[in-house]
Amino acid sequence: MYNPSVLLTGLRRVEILIAILAIGVRLVPGPRTIDDAFITFRYAQNLLAGEGLVYNPGEQVLGTTTPIYTLLLSGLAAFVGGSRADFPLLALLVNAVADGVTCWMLPRLGERLGFRAAGIATGLVWAIAPWSVTFAIGGLETSVLVGLATAAFYLHITHRPVGAAAAGAFALLTRPDALLFLGPLAIGRALQIRKSAPPVRPGELFAFGVPLVAWLAWSLAYFGSPIPHSLFAKTVAYQIPAEAGLVRLLQHYATPFLEHELLGAGWIRVGIVLYPALFLIGALGATRVNREGWPILAYPGLYLLAFAIANPLLFRWYLTPPLPMYFLGIFIGASRVSKDIRSRIPLIGFATLALASTASGWALTPDHGARRPAPKMAFIELELLYEHTAELVETRLSSNQVLAASDIGALGYYTGARI
């Protein structure tokens, strides 16, 4: 006899299993740290060593775009070795937990939008997606940003504005592009207030405003500006054609599951039509079930538009944040098609294709670094060369010498030299 409570319990167990899978999948490769992450690690090291939040001791320059992630790593490292802690491993563990929580929340988000099966498919694919795993094991703040964004969406749609406000504030202090989902969420919250569900309370304003005001005031006093110098540097250093960002983003949105790894580059012509169409079907279906879900599904489109107009050099980790909600919209679209034709084949078919394509983006034995399964895009050969160079240079540097380098992450972290 059908028992809804038994079914619900089983689904909750699935959520937990997906979260455990996500954590395990990130522990298998071990740290494969990207050069930019070492910059954050050095800021954390110097803070713990009593030098302040600086890259070079004595130089109060804000060169990291992720103050909260830096402070989080510093706080945890204080209990496991201080400034000598293994920051690549510590960052991996933090990111693994963040991604595990994200994968636990995605099925619940799908349920709130009326398509739980789509949420489960999204969580399962995100658990093994190279676009997620690469930057988790790479030591970047991407996993924390995605986790906070997913939490903010979920708390918003479940009418917990204080939690959503706090998640949004910390997301913005994790990376500035969090503004791209905070804008729609703010509008969504204003619409909730018009319906008195629930009204604004002091705790909500406190949760959002205090972390931001505190950082703004401190960074103005300490650095002279809350805007990282690295943002200005990148606008000068990287000059690309006006259409480059849009072209790269369209390619990315056409192959969200790395289908070109399995089916070849020709898939882009199919994906550029298929996935936006499915996403639109899914977005319309989800907002009919729950009108308050529109900020969630507006985010991928707004992200594409904003980065296409700004046209920065798109580092790979810039392409990751909108993907979980893009996945969710696609799977909801496939669920709607399955429902319309009264067959589960479209949803099962797309989920199978996504899993197979995503798995094809992994290498069982990478040709460099640790010989353990890892995403192919987790390419760190240059970072390994910098680490080896640091070993050679470190013994030749005196305390008053300056090391000149274009990439300052691994060299700065491993030598401790003034860069």
Side-chain angles (χ1 to χ4, degrees), residues 332-349:
I332 291 176
S335 293
R336 279 202 64 198
V337 172
S338 288
K339 184 177 180 180
D340 290 343
I341 67 173
R342 298 181 180 180
S343 170
R344 295 182 180 179
I345 291 176
L347 177 58
I348 294 174

Side-chain angles (χ1 to χ4, degrees), residues 98-99 101-102 105 126 141-153 167:
D99 283 332
V101 173
T102 297
M105 285 188 291
W126 192 246
E141 72 283 352
T142 312
S143 296
V144 174
L145 174 65
V146 170
L148 288 168
T150 307
F153 286 136

